[in-house]
Amino acid sequence: MAREGEHLLDSHLLVGPTGLRYRDEGPYDRDDRGALWARWGGRPTGRVRLADAHGLRQRRALRQLLCQGCKRPADRTGDGTLWLIEDDPGSWDDWPEQLLTMHPPTCMPCATIADRACPHLSDTGSVLLYVKDSEAAGIRGHLYTPTVGGPPTRTYTPFVDYRDPRLPFTLAVHQVVALSGCTIVRRTPPRVPAHAERTP
Ligand SMILES: [Zn+2]
C-alpha cells in the first residue's frame, strides 16, 4: 500500500515517437520485459492508503511471493502459493485459470482478516486458493498518446499485455500476473448487509 506522503513522480519523463523514456534513465527504471516503471517520491509519513497499492512494493511482493497484508512470505504448500481473490460466478469454465490480478498472495491469518474486514470482498464473496504459477503477464499504468502540437494525453489503463504494441507508451504503475495451476480451498459467499437481515 502507498502511505500518505508518497506520490508518483513523472518529472524527467519524455514522450518520444517510439515510446517513453526518462531523461536520466537508469538500469532499474525498466523491467526485464522492457516496461518503463513509474518512480515514487516523498516519504512514507502518514497512514496507509488502502485503495492505493505502492507500485514498487506491490511488484516486489508479487515477485518474492510475500503476503499482501503482513509482508512476510505467503503460505506455500505442494499445491502452490495461497491467494485470496474476489469470487466471479459468471466467469469462464475453468475459472480462475489464467485470471489476471495485481494483488499479491496472502498468508492464512491475513486471508481470514481480509475475509472479515474487506468491504469489497464481503460484496463479491471471496475464493481462497493455492496457485502453482503466477507469471508476469503485463502492467497497469498510464498510457501516453502523443498529439500534434500539444502535450501528450494520459489515460489510466487497467491492463497492457507485455506483447501489446502500446507497451512502449505505457508508464507501468502496477504489475499484473496470470494465475495458473489453481486449487480452490474455500469459497466465502457475499455477506448479506445487516439491514437486509432485519427485513421480515
Ligand atoms: Zn500475512
Side-chain angles (χ1 to χ4, degrees), residues 11 120-121 131 143 158 161 164 174 200:
S11 55
H120 179 65
L121 290 179
V131 172
L143 174 65
D161 192 289
D164 191 313
H174 295 125

Side-chain angles (χ1 to χ4, degrees), residues 67-73 106-111:
C67 171
Q68 61 175 295
C70 65
K71 313 294 181 273
R72 292 194 282 266
T106 185
C107 68
M108 195 62 87
C110 287

